[in-house]
Amino acid sequence: MIHLLQQTKTGQRQDMVTLSLYIPTLANYSEGAIADVQAAINEHLAENYGIQTKLVYIEIGNFEKNINLAMTTDELDVTCYFTGNGQLPNYVNNGQLLDITDYFNNASDELKNTFTQTEIDASSLNGRMYGLVRKYQYGGGEVVVMNKDIVEEMGIDPASITDMDSLGEVLYKVHEAHPEIHAMVPQSNADMTWGKPWVEGIGLTSFAFTDNIDSTEICSVFESDSYREFCSYTNKWYQDGLIMSDAISNTMEGSDMVTSGAAFCCLHNADIDPLDRLYPNTVTSGWLIKPRAIPTDVGNLQYGISVNSAHPDEAFTLLSALYTDAKLHTMLSYGLEGEHYVINGDGRADYPEGMTAENEPYGGFAATATYPNYLLNPVKASAVVDDYKKSVEDWDAQVKVSKCFGYVFDSSEYGDFITAYKNIEEKYLKAIQTGSVALDDVLPTIKSELEGIGYYDVIAKMQSELDAFLAK
């Protein structure tokens, strides 16, 4: 659904430029709540910036289609856009996003200091800047989530589990002591772990990888040494009965099984949020994989200006304010204080009495993930951190970034190839990761199928481009 309010109902000043702002929704918004928030925002914008805005909320599943259409006209000024699947080169090559390099270079120090060089690189292509990344923690590592009762019963030291060998030692002991439960289960459904933490994605693609964060040699996930090593462990553990026998057809969340005691542990991606506070009756291991960021982790959601905006100067003023003006951003994301949220006695933001995520009229408080800079907002009562900005800065400081960061492969002409590659992954990946199938048994067939879709020709082209990129 698209929420686009008529100008006559929103109190917009006719003597000021009105800029549309497109935002994807992850929750419900009523027309009345949007109108009230927009009116308050416009009062603030008029007083501080001499501009107005028109909020356009679009359900996230239809968002890309709608902004692609809107960017062919002058209806769209400032918009969110996604880049996690390599869309940035498409937007730039199609002439849809405005080059904001000069605007940014001449902007306030407050705005420029908001972003790290890594974040600036994530919104740039060929040395030119096209947007501002969402301020958010980026990257992640891999840990083990374990049942707290069994950990305490058996005297297991969670911090001592830092690799697959130390994990294996614990799994065999737990299996011997508790044969009635699964020693290990997938993280979710048949996914042994979300994503591919043992390899590093390259070029903002879904099909090319390096063996680790320091490597610059592109390969398939199936032929990565680190991934093959991971799968050799899971295959042995599966054969020895440590991993649930029907893992490939599992439909449950691993964390639920661990919490309830039906399983001892599962692998889990980890970031700024302490997992033991998210999942009751669990403890977390040391890092199996230390925090790192691949290109799709940084700036996978950004805000920019349509090249067809009739008011690019004013649009950049709005874009800048979204990242530096705490009052503006809090109104935009949380709504109106006293109506859509309140500040409780601890100084944290919470729902007004009687309001929940299910009945709130302005969904931003429940789902702030798509807004530009949540670090500007008051900390929520439900947050597991005390200071958003400090927690994210501390987290990002420990995240290691791929050597290949900044390289982008233009995959716009490879639609059929990407579909064919995805089919191969779907055919083999989950069975291999859960240990149900030995990678070495099917690798010759997989390589033959990759050869058949021209995979090695594509990554050879990518390798050549990457080498040239790194040589600069």
Side-chain angles (χ1 to χ4, degrees), residues 221-294:
V221 61
F222 303 104
E223 295 166 276
S224 158
D225 290 339
S226 56
Y227 188 75
R228 294 180 70 179
E229 181 182 25
F230 166 71
C231 293
S232 70
Y233 280 100
T234 58
N235 181 244
K236 182 175 185 343
W237 295 345
Y238 182 87
Q239 296 299 325
D240 291 345
L242 305 186
I243 295 175
M244 64 188 304
S245 60
D246 57 346
I248 193 63
S249 58
N250 177 50
T251 59
M252 297 181 65
E253 293 297 313
S255 56
D256 290 341
M257 288 187 276
V258 174
T259 296
S260 69
F264 169 65
C265 78
C266 66
L267 298 173
H268 206 293
N269 57 300
D271 54 28
I272 196 171
D273 295 320
L275 294 176
D276 56 359
R277 293 180 65 175
L278 296 175
Y279 304 128
N281 195 37
T282 67
V283 293
T284 305
S285 72
W287 293 109
L288 267 64
I289 299 177
K290 293 181 178 180
R292 81 285 183 271
I294 59 176

Side-chain angles (χ1 to χ4, degrees), residues 390-405:
K390 184 179 186 304
S391 297
V392 169
E393 288 177 348
D394 289 349
W395 167 262
D396 288 352
Q398 68 174 319
V399 174
K400 189 174 183 180
V401 178
S402 168
K403 279 188 175 182
C404 303
F405 185 83

Side-chain angles (χ1 to χ4, degrees), residues 218-220 222-223 417 443-463:
I218 302 175
C219 62
S220 75
F222 303 104
E223 295 166 276
F417 165 79
L443 186 57
T445 302
I446 292 173
K447 292 172 70 173
S448 176
E449 292 185 20
L450 290 173
E451 180 71 39
I453 66 170
Y455 179 83
Y456 297 105
D457 293 334
V458 174
I459 63 169
K461 174 179 172 58
M462 290 185 66
Q463 187 70 63

Side-chain angles (χ1 to χ4, degrees), residues 130-143:
Y130 292 92
L132 303 177
V133 304
R134 170 187 57 169
K135 291 298 296 184
Y136 208 74
Q137 69 268 17
Y138 54 80
E142 193 76 7
V143 297

